[in-house]
Amino acid sequence: MTEEMRAIITIDQERCNGCGLCVDACHEGAIALVDGKARLMFEHHCDGLGDCLPACPTGAIAFEERMAAPYDEAAVAAAQREKEAVRHGCPGSAARSFGSRETAAAVGRRQSENVSELRQWPVQIKLVSPAAPYFAGADLLVAADCTAFAYGAFHRDFMAGRVTLVGCPKLDAVDYTEKLTEIVSANDIASVMVARMSVPCCGGIERAVRDAVAASGKAVPVVVRTIGTDGVLLE
């Protein structure tokens, strides 16, 4: 994306108190809370009008003239449509946290019973909101769709204790990198596990995760588990 000289906001990290009022005031979704501080996450979403400035109680936000990505109205509109679809769309897309499914009596039966380890809803990468509360401090599992069908103990060995996101880089006409970057950038993600099949097209989901973590600038550990088409864990 070619940069241009323009007015864009800057956020003083020392003065920011992490109240999040600027996040709500920014209708373009350019700002997010990262590690308890407001950050300008998407330069191309910032229109330079400054609706966030009067919302800041500490005066941490100001304008500066510098080289930045140009405002992308189409990208902002697409992000707003996605946000509204999650908020007001199909009830099946509403964010839900399930918490732990185990009780003290269930601990001893886990190995022999079919216990679901799903901790939240939705699970599709395209449908989740980066602002969903279940991402706070979460260990993520980013899995290719086919893995859960190929590997018999997927819930027990992969999903337990993790927030699960699924997708298919071959069939979904979308690049997951931007959504995953938002999730990692806006939340204190503890770790990411990638579950992929051994087929080449599954490399897309691993690449999206690695690119997202790199773009976030955070030192989030990433581990990759590869499953063969015969259902065998290859590591």
Side-chain angles (χ1 to χ4, degrees), residues 17 42 50 78 88 119 131 173 176 192 196 204 216 227:
N17 65 2
F42 305 106
H88 301 298
R119 301 178 61 187
Y176 298 133
V192 184
R196 55 163 293 182
S216 75
I227 300 168

Side-chain angles (χ1 to χ4, degrees), residues 168-180:
C168 177
K170 185 176 180 67
L171 299 181
D172 286 346
V174 64
D175 182 358
Y176 298 133
T177 305
E178 184 172 352
K179 172 65 76 67
L180 293 173

Side-chain angles (χ1 to χ4, degrees), residues 51-153:
D51 288 342
C52 53
L53 270 70
C56 180
T58 66
I61 306 177
F63 279 121
E64 65 176 350
E65 286 279 343
R66 64 174 175 84
M67 296 298 292
Y71 175 62
D72 189 337
E73 186 175 358
V76 170
Q80 290 174 334
R81 286 195 300 271
E82 180 179 335
K83 184 176 180 180
E84 288 302 307
V86 171
R87 183 181 299 171
H88 301 298
C90 171
S93 298
R96 304 177 217 169
S97 298
F98 303 144
S100 175
R101 292 176 175 271
E102 290 188 313
T103 64
V107 173
R109 302 197 304 268
R110 290 187 73 252
Q111 300 300 318
S112 60
E113 293 186 357
N114 295 321
V115 177
S116 175
E117 297 290 354
L118 186 62
R119 301 178 61 187
Q120 96 292 335
W121 188 264
V123 296
Q124 286 287 340
I125 298 172
K126 294 191 296 183
L127 297 180
V128 295
S129 167
Y134 46 72
F135 284 125
D139 293 293
L140 292 188
L141 169 65
V142 181
D145 288 345
C146 297
T147 55
F149 295 94
Y151 189 79

